[in-house]
Amino acid sequence: MNDINSKKTKLHDWHIHNNAKIVNFSGYAMPLYYSSIIDEHNAVREKVGLFDISHMGSVIVSGNGSKQFLQKVTTNDIESLSAGKAQYSAMCNENGNLIDDFIVYDRECDYLLVFNSINTEKNIRWLFKHNIEDVKIKNQTDKVSILSIQGPSSIDVLRNNLSIDIDELSFYHFQDAQLNGINCMVSRTGYTGELGYEIFSNIKNVIALWEEILNLGKDHGIKPVGLGCRDTLRMEMNYALYGNEINENINPFEAGLGWITSMKKNKFIGRSSLLNLKKKIRKKLVCLVLDEKSIPRSGYQIKKDGKKVGKITSGTMSPSLKKGIGIGFIDINHAKIGNLVKVKVRGNEKNATIINPPFYKEGSLHH
């Protein structure tokens, strides 16, 4: 890929030197894979993989009015956060549709918001537009690097090499730490369905951090892995991807994100629209397994009795199930678990079954 306009992470040269297949992802030149998507997918499911996810947006919200401001602009309840905890949340527009989904970290003196890279600029404009007194919004994306170490052995790679007790770090919690002398913030979060950690550092330390983790992971079968398997891993877990399962025409209830939408809190942007929309849900996100050999792709039609009743938003050949799997929106009347439908694959209708998510149920996430 020779797109000179693509932004590059600090690890770009390392990726090139290690034969990564580079693609443009949200305006960044990112590794799709080093060996192959399936090989890297299996490494994360069985042992451990290391991702460079420094393209994600990092924005700091600080000042006395921060909590009040975040209550206004996010769907989840900020009151349930405390220092050292992270929260999955989203922002809606006035119509109740999704601007982005992201994670909020309560760092005691401020909040760190980690956005999908494609939305960082848009989200910052939105935050500024709705800002209140005593709140500072600062884009730190170019100063922060993020690595993600994922897989059942991720804890073994980090154990005894961190200044904190990794065994004490529970899901969606984080702590400042040093990894063999390198300053970082370690968060027990991820996008794979496996036990894993996301490690934040100053951009100037990230090459040393990356090489140190790969070195520590040698005996545990660690591999550098690309965004290709990040996509297949998240699909097997039915995790939404902005631009596929969520966008500004979809509300949280349709996208299965009602659980991060706190209708109990008084006012947040989009709430009054969502009160009306909740009663009028016409479509629902479902998981489909193809019953014959075929791969559903984004945009393919879902049909029932010859009629189009929905469409696929994400699909792949699942490396773990060895079957074609798809996530898609379907008319609410046909969305029942166990329902048989057809997916139109290049002109042929293939049989599929709606299943209870996730597709992959053996993950080490909550070990």
Side-chain angles (χ1 to χ4, degrees):
M1 195 207 74
N2 302 314
D3 184 359
I4 46 169
N5 298 322
S6 291
K7 295 181 194 166
K8 296 172 175 63
T9 73
K10 193 76 174 163
L11 287 160
H12 182 76
D13 290 349
W14 193 97
H15 301 319
I16 297 286
H17 289 153
N18 288 274
N19 302 318
K21 161 97 172 118
I22 301 287
V23 294
N24 184 330
F25 184 83
S26 305
Y28 278 81
M30 298 299 289
L32 185 67
Y33 58 80
Y34 302 84
S35 52
S36 79
I37 291 173
I38 291 180
D39 178 50
E40 292 172 17
H41 178 106
N42 293 335
V44 174
R45 285 271 180 256
E46 291 158 19
K47 290 178 181 167
V48 56
L50 183 64
F51 298 87
D52 175 14
I53 55 166
S54 306
H55 61 303
M56 307 280 289
S58 295
V59 174
I60 290 174
V61 174
S62 62
N64 294 333
S66 300
K67 182 182 276 191
Q68 185 195 346
F69 172 59
L70 289 174
Q71 275 298 47
K72 183 178 86 161
V73 295
T74 70
T75 61
N76 211 334
D77 186 4
I78 293 290
E79 289 291 342
S80 65
L81 263 185
S82 52
K85 280 180 80 173
Q87 182 183 70
Y88 181 44
S89 192
M91 286 193 298
C92 288
N93 58 26
E94 286 89 349
N95 301 328
N97 289 338
L98 288 156
I99 292 172
D100 201 11
D101 66 328
F102 49 90
I103 296 182
V104 183
Y105 297 84
D106 183 341
R107 303 198 304 182
E108 201 161 6
C109 52
D110 61 28
Y111 294 91
L112 169 66
L113 279 57
V114 176
F115 293 137
N116 287 300
S117 58
I118 198 164
N119 291 330
T120 304
E121 298 300 327
K122 173 187 84 169
N123 292 352
I124 290 167
R125 285 196 300 274
W126 181 259
L127 292 176
F128 272 114
K129 181 179 167 185
H130 295 280
N131 199 7
I132 59 176
E133 217 176 319
D134 282 346
V135 174
K136 286 197 196 66
I137 298 162
K138 206 164 155 196
N139 185 0
Q140 295 286 85
T141 306
D142 295 340
K143 298 184 176 70
V144 176
S145 288
I146 316 174
L147 307 182
S148 183
I149 177 171
Q150 300 283 315
S153 302
S154 56
I155 194 165
D156 305 317
V157 176
L158 298 178
R159 191 185 278 125
N160 306 331
N161 297 300
L162 280 171
S163 59
I164 58 168
D165 183 354
I166 194 80
D167 291 273
E168 292 297 308
L169 194 64
S170 45
F171 192 46
Y172 265 73
H173 285 67
F174 65 93
Q175 261 182 285
D176 286 330
Q178 286 190 326
L179 180 82
N180 291 348
I182 306 165
N183 289 330
C184 57
M185 181 182 109
V186 181
S187 169
R188 190 169 153 190
T189 42
Y191 195 47
T192 63
E194 298 300 335
L195 174 67
Y197 304 86
E198 290 173 322
I199 304 179
F200 296 72
S201 78
N202 186 301
I203 197 159
K204 62 177 190 291
N205 295 332
V206 71
I207 296 172
L209 194 60
W210 174 267
E211 290 181 335
E212 184 67 13
I213 294 169
L214 287 177
N215 190 40
L216 293 171
K218 275 210 298 262
D219 296 342
H220 302 282
I222 199 168
K223 286 188 167 160
V225 292
L227 296 185
C229 77
R230 191 167 152 86
D231 200 39
T232 54
L233 290 158
R234 70 96 194 162
M235 267 189 248
E236 289 187 346
M237 292 308 298
N238 186 35
Y239 293 155
L241 175 65
Y242 188 89
N244 294 39
E245 286 69 46
I246 46 185
N247 60 45
E248 294 193 20
N249 299 311
I250 293 164
N251 70 57
F253 301 122
E254 293 169 331
L257 296 178
W259 63 282
I260 61 162
T261 308
S262 177
M263 300 303 283
K264 289 197 293 287
K265 66 177 189 177
N266 274 342
K267 283 198 176 99
F268 63 87
I269 297 166
R271 181 178 180 272
S272 49
S273 297
L274 285 172
L275 280 172
N276 298 325
L277 290 168
K278 199 172 183 182
K279 304 180 193 80
K280 302 179 192 157
I281 300 295
R282 301 266 179 270
K283 60 181 179 183
K284 192 180 165 191
L285 207 55
V286 296
C287 292
L288 299 169
V289 172
L290 264 68
D291 302 322
E292 40 194 317
K293 207 167 166 56
S294 198
I295 305 174
R297 299 282 185 205
S298 177
Y300 284 9
Q301 289 184 11
I302 303 168
K303 302 187 85 172
K304 181 81 182 176
D305 302 329
K307 283 205 269 302
K308 182 188 170 190
V309 292
K311 72 170 186 181
I312 300 289
T313 52
S314 294
T316 191
M317 175 57 72
S318 159
S320 305
L321 278 66
K322 315 247 184 319
K323 287 180 177 176
I325 62 170
I327 303 168
F329 282 102
I330 191 166
D331 181 312
I332 195 106
N333 304 320
H334 298 289
K336 214 165 138 238
I337 306 293
N339 267 4
L340 303 177
V341 292
K342 294 188 185 288
V343 177
K344 196 169 179 187
V345 180
R346 292 195 295 274
N348 299 311
E349 293 188 4
K350 303 287 185 180
N351 294 317
T353 306
I354 297 177
I355 65 133
N356 203 8
F359 297 98
Y360 182 73
K361 297 180 166 68
E362 312 296 313
S364 58
L365 182 57
H366 297 292
H367 98 138

